[in-house]
Structure formats: C-alpha cells, structure tokens
Amino acid sequence: LHPHTEIEPYEHGYIEGLKCLKAGTLDAVVISDYENTDGFITYSLPSTRRLLIVEKSNPLASKEELEIKDLEMKINDFAYNKFLRLCQAEGFTPDVRRTSDTVYMYKLCSEDGLCGLCIDSNTSNLVPKYPELRAIPFKDNAFPYPMMLAVRNNYPKPTLIKELVDFLTYSLN
C-alpha cells in the first residue's frame, strides 16, 4: 500500500474496536452501522444489503421483496438503533426474542421458526445449508449494511488512509 508502512490487522468486536480507537491503541477500524458521535474522521466503504431469513412455511416466504412495515412480527436479531427507528417510523417496535451473530442466525431461525436479519455477502454460503429457510431482500434496499473506515483524528498519514480506503473499496466491491 504505502512505503515503509506495516498494517497489522486485528479482529475486535464492535464496542472493543471503538474503545481501542478512542484509546489510541488502534489507528483505524472498519465498522458497520456506525453513527459517528465520537468525532472520528470517517470514510464510506461499499455497503451490502440486509436480507430477512424466514422459514419457507412463513407467509412472508412468498414475497419477492419486503418492506419494513411487513416486519411487524418476532425478529431474531440484534436490535440496531437504525432498525428500531425504521420500524418505529412505520408505527411499531419489533419483538426481539434472541440476539446472535450472523453465523448462528441461520441455525436459530431454523430451530425457532423466528425471522432473522443477515447480510447478503454471507447468504450464498449459509442458506443452502438450511434448505427450510429462504432469504428475502428489502425493497429499494430499505435497510442497507453500511461499512466505513473510522480513523482517529490525529493520525499523521492522511495519504496512507486515502490509499487504504481505495484498497478496501476495491476489495469490497
């Protein structure tokens, strides 16, 4: 990427990554669904779409696309602030029964018969393992999965960050 520069990637959870960025132990984090209230410098990266996972016996399984108002049901997923606001704008708050990460979402949806939210990039690998499930996109990408690079304000190499953003943009497309 850049002469005389090493990149050491680490995997942290959402909250831990932000704590490390605030503490200065990380220079930058790739993060999703981030609302920059911390004053970091942020760069948008390519986003993907979210899908709803349902059992094929669920009435929603017959739809080709969903609207947020279709989701007035039990959801098996993290209750993201943005998701809650979207639902509340339609006049309801979802009944979140369990939370899990994306890998276990499919198993929980299969076992519990609840609906779950997932990101499109994982679906092609995981849905075929659960033939009783179907993934349905949201109409007009109503609930996207936005990615961004958040960088500490005093990072001394803005050219390096620009090149990193270009590299990540290329890699994520």
Side-chain angles (χ1 to χ4, degrees):
L1 274 176
H2 203 269
H4 312 293
T5 301
E6 289 184 32
I7 294 178
E8 297 179 45
Y10 296 93
E11 184 174 350
H12 292 286
Y14 190 95
I15 294 170
E16 183 64 23
L18 288 174
K19 282 182 183 177
C20 290
L21 191 60
K22 287 176 190 175
T25 55
L26 290 177
D27 296 320
V29 296
V30 175
I31 196 161
S32 66
D33 292 300
Y34 178 60
E35 295 179 10
N36 189 4
T37 58
D38 302 299
F40 298 125
I41 299 166
T42 57
Y43 300 87
S44 293
L45 298 172
S47 65
T48 187
R49 61 186 182 164
R50 283 194 175 89
L51 307 170
L52 185 75
I53 305 169
V54 298
E55 281 190 314
K56 289 181 179 173
S57 62
N58 186 306
L60 291 177
S62 64
K63 292 184 172 271
E64 290 303 313
E65 292 183 316
L66 295 168
E67 295 183 51
I68 297 295
K69 66 183 177 185
D70 295 329
L71 300 181
E72 198 167 350
M73 62 182 67
K74 294 166 181 59
I75 300 288
N76 183 10
D77 191 39
F78 290 110
Y80 296 110
N81 289 332
K82 182 177 180 182
F83 178 66
L84 288 174
R85 284 195 304 272
L86 288 169
C87 293
Q88 289 165 347
E90 293 293 333
F92 69 95
T93 300
D95 181 6
V96 178
R97 294 296 178 96
R98 287 192 182 176
T99 62
S100 76
D101 61 19
T102 303
V103 174
Y104 299 106
M105 182 65 61
Y106 299 84
K107 186 173 187 333
L108 289 171
C109 288
S110 177
E111 290 175 354
D112 294 350
L114 299 178
C115 298
L117 297 169
C118 65
I119 56 174
D120 199 10
S121 56
N122 292 337
T123 304
S124 60
N125 294 329
L126 294 172
V127 166
K129 295 178 182 178
Y130 298 94
E132 67 281 6
L133 299 179
R134 179 160 184 265
I136 309 167
F138 288 94
K139 184 178 181 180
D140 300 323
N141 198 18
F143 187 39
Y145 185 78
M147 301 283 293
M148 69 174 49
L149 182 72
V151 182
R152 63 183 172 92
N153 289 328
N154 58 351
Y155 188 74
K157 299 179 182 178
T159 303
L160 172 65
I161 295 300
K162 173 65 174 124
E163 290 181 18
L164 180 59
V165 169
D166 290 345
F167 173 77
L168 290 170
T169 298
Y170 173 79
S171 299
L172 293 169
N173 273 327

